[in-house]
Amino acid sequence: CKILRCNSEYVAATLHLRGPGRGAAFCTALRSYSLCTRRTARTCRGDLAFHSAVHGIEDLMIQNNCSKEGPTAPPQPQPPAPNPQGFESLDICDYERSFLYKHGRPPGFQHCAAFGDPHIRTFHDDFHTCRVEGSWPLLDNNYLFVQATSSPVAQGSNATVTSKLTIIFKNMKECIDQKVYQAELDNVPAAFQDGSVNGGMRPGGSSLVIWERSPGRHVEIRANYIGTTIAVRQAGRQLSFSIRAAEEVARAFTEEQDLQLCVGGCPHSQRMSRSLRGRGRVPAETAQALCREMLPVEDVYFQSCVFDVVTSGDTNFTMAAHGALEDARLFLTDAEKLHIFQ
């Protein structure tokens, strides 16, 4: 699929065209762009960027009253004026800038998190507590694969915690090599499995980087080429995962990729109630007091904290819920969606 070449040629042809007087030259560039996409249609049928470009061209032709018939040779581009910020319009490995340039607005984002028991906050702001012992996919789309491996929080308990996370950034030949990140209890590295800290030797390699926020406890992975940021934390004897993903990246999957906890939440057979029936390892009143110190709003993060402390007897679970809430505060674009009440 050569849609990215079509995109680059269009950007180069229209870089110097600005304002209401661009008229005929802009329409010529759009027709040339449309012709290029038609030539790649057969090989690009399943490509998200291709379908986005086709719809974008149609919208732009309508907005600018362009005829579908007419010359298609693009005008010779003039050299772009120096940009003090060093912005390269042809840089396809900066998702947010490219999206803004193409659509005239910033992209939308979605947030998912898995922490504690584990508790899952889905991209659609549903909230489940799961038993899911073993390995389950949090994400499985065209760009990312994330798998969480869970084990019992304590011997004889139905509750489980995430003990291992595997994150695969799939090959994107224009930007990065395929990279695998893996974290386990007491081993939260600030590097990919091959020892690198970025996307490799390709021109866009720096669009994927790992930052160590707290040694051995908290890393942040920024994948600018797909508009995505991931946080991995360890609190006590559990790992947590949070992601802020561009909407079209989060939705880039097929019907076969139907099991994703970040998309559909836990399967019904794996969902647990957070009611505190029976005897726990810590009295509910004690757990509530501990959680209230870290989580003053009694939302699902607070309820999850109480459930985890009672079930496990481990007070470090207050930090797990607090970290998840802090990630949500950073990753959610709509502050009103921060707290979920059930």
Side-chain angles (χ1 to χ4, degrees), residues 24-299:
F26 187 68
C27 289
T28 298
L30 278 174
R31 284 191 291 269
S32 182
Y33 190 14
S34 180
L35 178 62
C36 187
T37 61
R38 290 200 297 273
R39 287 171 176 165
T40 65
R42 178 173 294 180
T43 55
C44 291
R45 281 179 299 183
D47 192 283
L48 186 68
F50 169 77
H51 292 288
S52 177
V54 170
H55 291 302
I57 293 167
E58 290 177 359
D59 290 343
L60 285 170
M61 292 190 81
I62 292 170
Q63 291 169 21
N64 291 273
N65 295 320
C66 296
S67 168
K68 292 185 178 181
E69 302 298 326
T72 57
Q76 289 296 315
Q78 297 176 1
N83 189 319
Q85 296 179 335
F87 172 61
E88 297 180 13
S89 296
L90 301 183
D91 183 6
I92 57 171
C93 298
D94 188 322
Y95 179 88
E96 292 189 48
R97 287 189 180 188
S98 297
F99 191 97
L100 180 63
Y101 186 85
K102 286 191 288 187
H103 302 282
R105 61 176 178 83
F109 295 93
Q110 293 182 325
H111 168 57
C112 170
F115 67 96
D117 183 68
H119 312 284
I120 306 292
R121 177 174 184 152
T122 75
F123 283 138
H124 310 294
D125 301 316
D126 295 323
F127 198 89
H128 301 148
T129 296
C130 320
R131 52 173 56 90
V132 292
E133 189 172 351
S135 297
W136 293 72
L138 294 172
L139 283 170
D140 181 10
N141 62 40
N142 296 346
Y143 302 97
L144 283 167
F145 177 80
V146 181
Q147 179 173 277
T149 301
S150 298
S151 53
V153 64
Q155 192 170 0
S157 172
N158 282 332
T160 58
V161 290
T162 300
S163 54
K164 182 178 178 180
L165 281 166
T166 301
I167 305 170
I168 300 175
F169 296 87
K170 297 181 181 180
N171 183 307
M172 187 168 173
K173 67 178 182 178
E174 297 83 4
C175 299
I176 68 151
D177 301 317
Q178 178 170 294
K179 292 290 177 178
V180 179
Y181 178 81
Q182 197 163 83
E184 299 183 66
L185 290 177
D186 301 322
N187 182 20
V188 181
F192 295 107
Q193 272 198 319
D194 62 4
S196 65
V197 294
N198 60 34
M201 299 299 292
R202 301 186 187 191
S206 61
S207 64
L208 174 64
V209 293
I210 295 183
W211 300 90
E212 189 172 54
R213 294 304 183 194
S214 176
R217 293 282 158 177
H218 180 195
V219 299
E220 185 175 285
I221 307 174
R222 294 184 186 174
N224 290 339
Y225 70 101
I226 51 173
T228 295
T229 303
I230 292 173
V232 176
R233 300 174 183 256
Q234 177 172 337
R237 305 302 301 162
Q238 65 90 35
L239 298 174
S240 64
F241 167 87
S242 294
I243 185 170
R244 175 185 186 256
E247 286 179 350
E248 67 175 342
V249 170
R251 292 196 296 257
F253 58 88
T254 64
E255 291 181 5
E256 289 76 26
Q257 296 164 299
D258 58 343
L259 181 57
Q260 301 180 64
L261 301 191
C262 275
V263 177
C266 308
H268 284 279
S269 62
Q270 299 293 322
R271 295 179 192 176
M272 296 177 64
S273 167
R274 286 188 298 277
S275 62
L276 299 170
R277 299 190 187 96
R279 297 181 63 183
R281 294 169 181 264
V282 171
E285 296 77 11
T286 303
Q288 288 167 352
L290 289 167
C291 293
R292 202 168 283 118
E293 291 177 8
M294 302 294 291
L295 303 149
V297 178
E298 296 192 12
D299 60 359

